[in-house]
Amino acid sequence: MISRTSIMVAAARAFGSREPDESLRNPDYLADKLIGPEELALIAEHPLSKINERDYAEAFQDPAILFLVWSMLARTRFIDDALRRAVENGATQIVTLGAGFDTRAYRLQELLRHCRVIEVDAAETQEYKKQRLQAATVEAPANLTYARCDFACEILSEVLRTAGYRAEEKTFFIWEGVCMYLPEASARQTLRMMATESARGSSVVLDYANQIGIEIGMKYAQGPLALAALWGEPWIFGVPGGTDGSEFFRELGFERGELISFSNWQAVSRYTSGKDGRMYGAAVFQRMQQEAQSQGRAAMPELTDEQREVWRKGAHWMAELYNI
Ligand SMILES: C[S@@+](CC[C@H](N)C(=O)[O-])C[C@H]1O[C@@H](n2cnc3c(N)ncnc32)[C@H](O)[C@@H]1O
């Protein structure tokens, strides 16, 4: 099964890379080459599937498009920045887990020229991506190795070793938009592997939900979350309770670096603002917020106060973790 969620997020980056203002543009310029009409047809249920038929400025006003494109702008920049820092701090190995249509190995070749890069993904999605890269004449760099793994039933460390991974090297792991799809045991096992089978000072960037957020999200599922479930990729794993996960990650051997809730507009705006300080889509978001406020509590009537508080503080986070 090809991961349609991987196509949906890449389509969001492709759209974001068309932004006329360079300082607000998603840096993933290769996404637009990889996501063509056939890929858009695979996500027909999402309004992003029509981006080639709509004017950018008009489609930008669509909240269903804007929210995902804004989130991807934050994620792409957050991870690109962390990747640059990791390489400057001596990481020589980059491992992208659940790579989907991640393009960092191709678009950041100069930065990664002295690194070993390993992309890991489920077989079908990886095969599909390789075909798309070929069709779009995007050449894979010589330092890139592809490895196939189903995180739910294979031993990741064995797969990585076969792919040339060296546990003694300082490594940067990218786990973008993946852990929420995994059974809890696999998510824990992957975190444990990253913490114990990499050199001290290695780091991980990931985004994740908390458990209460997953419960609320699935109960009132709409937009990307509902589509993920429809496509057989439901969000099932969340860090315990309604927390930001710091405690959970500490117990697994990580010290937190930067950690941001997608509900914290101020924090996210560091990654989604342009040169004039204006946030991507600010006016549309303001309008959405006013509409949500006027609908009030009716939007999710059965939530307890605790759940409401978790939702307000944030259910979806991005973090940088250090192996200590
Ligand atoms: C939402 S996509 C994210 C793709 C990419 N990291 C990005 O952010 O563009 C989820 C990815 O997780 C991968 N994935 C989900 N469950 C998996 C599993 N059990 N084993 C291997 N890969 C898995 C999918 O193949 C897909 O590439």
Side-chain angles (χ1 to χ4, degrees):
M1 184 181 83
I2 294 160
S3 164
R4 294 190 194 189
T5 60
S6 71
I7 292 174
M8 177 172 64
V9 292
R13 293 193 292 265
F15 184 81
S17 73
R18 298 178 188 178
E19 162 62 39
D21 178 348
E22 195 180 350
S23 71
L24 281 168
R25 192 177 297 158
N26 189 305
D28 188 359
Y29 64 92
L30 288 176
D32 223 357
K33 286 188 137 199
L34 298 181
I35 303 300
E38 281 174 36
E39 289 65 48
L40 292 175
L42 287 171
I43 56 162
E45 296 89 345
H46 195 281
L48 273 167
S49 60
K50 304 284 184 293
I51 52 174
N52 289 345
E53 296 149 40
R54 293 171 74 174
D55 173 58
Y56 177 85
E58 180 270 320
F60 177 88
Q61 301 291 323
D62 181 340
I65 289 185
L66 180 65
F67 185 71
L68 199 57
V69 174
W70 171 84
S71 317
M72 290 311 118
L73 177 62
R75 238 165 66 165
T76 307
R77 285 182 168 178
F78 182 86
I79 296 176
D80 282 5
D81 283 3
L83 173 57
R84 280 192 196 94
R85 268 197 306 278
V87 173
E88 275 163 22
N89 291 332
T92 49
Q93 201 165 230
I94 314 299
V95 177
T96 308
L97 297 172
F101 287 78
D102 186 292
T103 61
R104 295 184 175 90
Y106 319 85
R107 72 184 161 82
L108 301 174
Q109 285 190 36
E110 177 58 21
L111 174 74
L112 304 181
R113 67 193 183 284
H114 299 306
C115 297
R116 174 179 311 105
V117 184
I118 304 174
E119 277 193 11
V120 187
D121 207 349
E124 263 191 85
T125 302
Q126 186 170 81
E127 201 43 50
Y128 190 91
K129 177 193 191 172
K130 281 159 92 176
Q131 286 169 17
R132 281 303 302 149
L133 286 163
Q134 206 176 15
T137 63
V138 179
E139 229 171 282
N143 60 348
L144 172 65
T145 304
Y146 295 101
R148 297 165 163 202
C149 182
D150 182 338
F151 304 127
C153 55
E154 287 175 89
I155 312 278
L156 176 62
S157 50
E158 285 174 11
V159 170
L160 282 179
R161 253 189 293 279
T162 308
Y165 177 82
R166 297 196 192 141
E168 65 280 11
E169 283 187 30
K170 211 184 219 189
T171 304
F172 183 72
F173 294 95
I174 301 172
W175 210 23
E176 180 181 9
V178 184
C179 67
M180 49 289 263
Y181 299 100
L182 303 180
E184 177 167 349
S186 317
R188 283 180 181 269
Q189 197 182 41
T190 304
L191 280 163
R192 219 170 287 125
M193 180 264 140
M194 295 189 278
T196 58
E197 296 184 46
S198 68
R200 215 182 148 90
S202 294
S203 51
V204 183
V205 276
L206 75 162
D207 65 308
Y208 56 96
N210 57 34
Q211 223 164 34
I212 294 182
I214 296 253
E215 282 163 23
I216 303 170
M218 293 317 287
K219 185 167 177 177
Y220 295 101
Q222 23 167 315
L225 219 56
L227 287 181
L230 178 75
W231 295 331
E233 301 175 70
W235 284 32
I236 51 174
F237 169 72
V239 300
T243 67
D244 67 6
S246 297
E247 191 62 36
F248 172 75
F249 295 127
R250 191 172 318 117
E251 280 166 14
L252 284 161
F254 293 104
E255 188 179 286
R256 53 169 272 197
E258 177 106 314
L259 185 143
I260 287 183
S261 159
F262 275 99
S263 303
N264 183 344
W265 290 82
Q266 220 173 357
V268 184
S269 72
R270 284 215 304 280
Y271 295 94
T272 52
S273 296
K275 56 182 181 315
D276 60 0
R278 194 172 48 92
M279 192 178 81
Y280 187 77
V284 184
F285 280 122
Q286 212 168 18
R287 202 182 64 220
M288 281 163 68
Q289 224 162 15
Q290 280 159 359
E291 280 166 16
Q293 264 162 10
S294 68
Q295 284 162 8
R297 288 185 151 234
M300 294 193 279
E302 291 151 33
L303 292 192
T304 63
D305 285 343
E306 186 203 353
Q307 287 174 319
R308 219 171 274 285
E309 185 57 11
V310 169
W311 197 249
R312 191 187 62 75
K313 277 196 188 146
H316 188 192
W317 306 73
M318 290 189 285
E320 186 184 21
L321 308 172
Y322 287 93
N323 169 359
I324 44 171

